Amino acid sequence: MAEPYYLTTAIHYPNGKPHIGHAYETIAADVMARFQRQRGREVRFQTGTDEHGLKMAQKARELGKSPRELADEMSGYFRDLFEVLDISYDRFIRTTDDDHHRASQAIWQAMSDKGDLYLDRYEGWYSVRDEAYYDEKELVEGQGGEMLSPQGTPVEWTEEETWFFRLSRYAEPLLELLNTPGFLEPTSRRNEMIAFVERGLQDLSVSRTSFDWGVQVPGSEGHVMYVWVDALTNYITGLGYPDGGELWEKFWPADLHLIGKDIVRFHTIYWPAFLMSADLPLPKKVFGHGFLLNRGLKESKSLGNVTDPMELAEKFGVDALRYFLMAEVTFGQDGSYSAEALVNKVNAELANSFGNLAQRTLSMISKNMDGKLVPFDTNADDRALLATVKEASAHILPREFEALNFSVGIEAWLKAVFACNAYVDEQAPWTLKKTDPERMNAVLQTLFMAIRDLAIAIQPVIPTKSAAVLEQLGVGQGHRSYDDIADNSWFSALAASGHFIDKPTPIFPRLELPEPEAV
Ligand code: ME8
């Protein structure tokens, strides 16, 4: 039986169109989902949109729409983007879905039955942009002397009757959880969370009465849930909570919540506390990735540097975008991007290195061997190259991807590609054609084997392009696992079957640098 693996992204606020950060997080999750499937695990992958709360209500009012209209429209853009980006999710959840309201009310009821909810009056600071309450001690002063949240967003003074959750009860088990190896990664984010708990946890206001765009609090007229209570619950709604059933039994607790660094507090303090209160098992891992910066700057409408990920994908190709984002940035840290950096990296690593390797090898097999594979003997050079390729493809890359070190895994893969290109140059099969055709066969077919391994290994990152390479090799696009890379028996069977290779067409075109923008 395949081991189950459940992973989720954050659910995105559809108060505007998706930006590059949304694309980045969802691509990373998709790479992980495809990677785990390729490892043979039964994967469930959930993403979606977070549609309640004051931010959505205010934005809708500003645009003269109802929150529901705004959510419907913008949520559609997220779905369209994820289709273009080849995101292989199993469920796209919307928090306005009926089953989600039911799940949120059920977890609320469970927390209430536990005695963890009480009515009181909230007086304090709230940031609509972050949908977060802040303690006065956490606030920082802006340039004009105004109060800002630690994220630099405006805060407003709020006073209303609300339900409170007894978060203060959970300090000890939370500290234990935060200290559990592997629960919160990268570990650099852990100290901040531990310090937050150690400063003393305040009970958390978990309902709102000043507006009504949210999930109704059961049995409490006029109260809607604080948006994060229902947002976090999405992770269990999608598995059939509270009814249970096959998905629930198989996939909860989640193996991975993949989120950005700005919302680690919600996922490693509030969410586990809600789950503890409701007597539900806790997620196994939360990973807080870094932020993507546009040439080192945060994107904002006022700076006029907002990138539309859909445009990037259309202009440069989906797999080029996926490859760039995963290879360029050390996952967990902030990273910078620009169209030039994308074009340079993709041209150097995919077009000139991997693409060129496949193109010239297959052209030579087609031309010099009439496109036919034949049985051959390897020498020490061939075996050394295949060992290098296998080490990178079947061991290093999977080990690093498992640990979410995507760029490190890709770097090992790329080094193996470089080793193949160096081997072509050293062996010079074009001169062997006249001097030693048998040796030429061995060299070209060693490369054939290497390219297959490399294409299989990199599939989670560039699924369409890898499939095209495997198609050209004629080895099919069926399920290929990392164990499959380790085994070479396929080649003799293929050669014995009179396998034929057509003249290849280039799969990785060189990208053009964008025109410099008019100033
Ligand atoms: O926070 N680079 O939604 P969101 C990388 N609805 N990642 C970024 C980013 C950037 N520049 N900007 C944002 C929310 N993100 C909540 C989540 S989950 C129960 C509720 C990441 O649309 C951000 O860190 O503001 C988050 O993980 C995701 O995009 C959605 O952000």
Side-chain angles (χ1 to χ4, degrees), residues 224-243:
V224 290
M225 291 179 200
Y226 168 41
V227 62
W228 273 98
V229 175
D230 96 73
L232 290 160
T233 304
N234 93 84
Y235 301 132
I236 55 176
T237 302
L239 298 180
Y241 179 82
D243 304 328

Side-chain angles (χ1 to χ4, degrees), residues 10-13 19 22 25 50 228 235 260 262 289 291-292:
I11 46 172
H12 314 291
Y13 288 127
H19 55 63
H22 295 129
E25 178 173 305
D50 183 2
W228 273 98
Y235 301 132
D262 57 328
H289 62 72
F291 265 38
L292 271 190

